[in-house]
Amino acid sequence: MNPEDEELLAAVTEPSRRRLLDVLLALGEATPTALAAELPFTRQAVAKHLAVLDRAGLVEARRDGREVRYSVRPERLDAAVRAMADVAARWDARLQRIKQIAESAHRETRGGEAARATRRH
């Protein structure tokens, strides 16, 4: 995985940031103060989460007079979804391999038990 994808995943794996993204997607555009009013954490916490999301390229800021308004960058959110799907596919492949190894070991164990039972009789 490339460093850019790792940064995206690190940004969206934190539940509070995902909640913030959900609210921001619902509102379309909002200030940190407006986001804090919708979330169970302070404006300062919102600002810190927005900084992480901004570094990852998931949100963009637009100055509107004295306020800064944030919105989600859909193309970066799509990139995060693709990165998560890639990680999921790799884990699925790993888990499938582990399942195959476990099933093979189980068959070998059963075969050994059957051979021992035959010798006993």
Side-chain angles (χ1 to χ4, degrees), residues 103-117:
E103 288 172 346
S104 177
H106 180 70
R107 280 191 301 274
E108 289 174 12
T109 302
R110 283 186 22 211
E113 289 172 0
R116 284 190 297 276

Side-chain angles (χ1 to χ4, degrees), residues 80-101:
V81 168
R82 284 191 304 277
M84 286 186 274
D86 182 51
V87 168
R90 285 195 316 248
W91 271 102
D92 284 346
R94 288 177 186 153
L95 291 172
Q96 185 61 36
R97 182 66 183 134
I98 290 168
K99 179 182 176 195
Q100 290 168 349
I101 291 168

